[in-house]
Amino acid sequence: MSEIAIRLLQPADHKALAALMVEMQGHYSVPCPPPAEILAGLAALPAGVDILIAAKGGAVLGFASACNLYPGPGLKTGFFLKEIYVADAARGAGLGRKLMTALAELALERGHRRIDWTADADDAALLRFYDGLGAAAYPKKVFYRLTGDALADLAKT
């Protein structure tokens, strides 16, 4: 068996990552687009999106997707972690921490000053994981989202 490598996503990884994304959508019990649509999205990633994967052989066991942000502290750049997910079968092996460590290394390499993200307030295990990384929760911040009709209505004004 080969070792697990944490590295930036390559086009050859798209099919394996799409399969993991299908698993992720099922894990969260949310609708999932067809695999062809996921593959099209991966092929057309917007500029500024970085996806790190945890790969073993041809399998993708986990990923972290982050977007570049500006401005951050001191008007410097940063990352916004949009998603981190580890395959159900690979949980408990430290892959989440390895992905976050690699993301932190990439952030510093690029001169970023911080990584921000949101978390489900009801997921105690997830919050313990983030606390264990040394991250600090910011309870004075509120997470907002515009979607669906509200997004369309605002765009019309």
Side-chain angles (χ1 to χ4, degrees), residues 48-148:
V49 174
D50 288 293
I51 299 178
L52 289 169
I53 61 167
K56 186 172 185 175
V60 174
L61 303 176
F63 75 97
S65 177
C67 303
N68 294 286
L69 292 177
Y70 179 84
L75 298 179
K76 301 293 182 185
T77 59
F79 269 142
F80 183 83
L81 174 67
K82 173 54 187 95
E83 194 71 59
I84 184 168
Y85 182 78
V86 173
D88 289 335
R91 296 237 168 117
L95 292 184
R97 184 171 189 87
K98 287 179 182 180
L99 284 163
M100 289 299 291
T101 297
L103 187 63
E105 290 169 354
L106 185 60
L108 292 176
E109 180 182 301
R110 294 189 179 170
H112 295 336
R113 294 283 176 97
R114 73 182 189 198
I115 302 172
D116 292 321
W117 65 87
T118 63
D120 184 347
D122 296 331
D123 190 334
L126 180 64
L127 299 178
R128 280 192 306 277
F129 169 72
Y130 288 142
D131 288 343
L133 297 174
Y138 279 80
K140 291 185 179 186
K141 295 287 183 177
V142 177
F143 174 68
Y144 284 92
R145 176 176 290 153
L146 269 175
T147 187

Side-chain angles (χ1 to χ4, degrees), residues 13-26:
D13 304 315
H14 287 186
K15 188 173 181 182
L17 179 56
L20 183 60
M21 289 177 158
V22 169
E23 175 189 312
M24 177 184 72
Q25 296 299 92

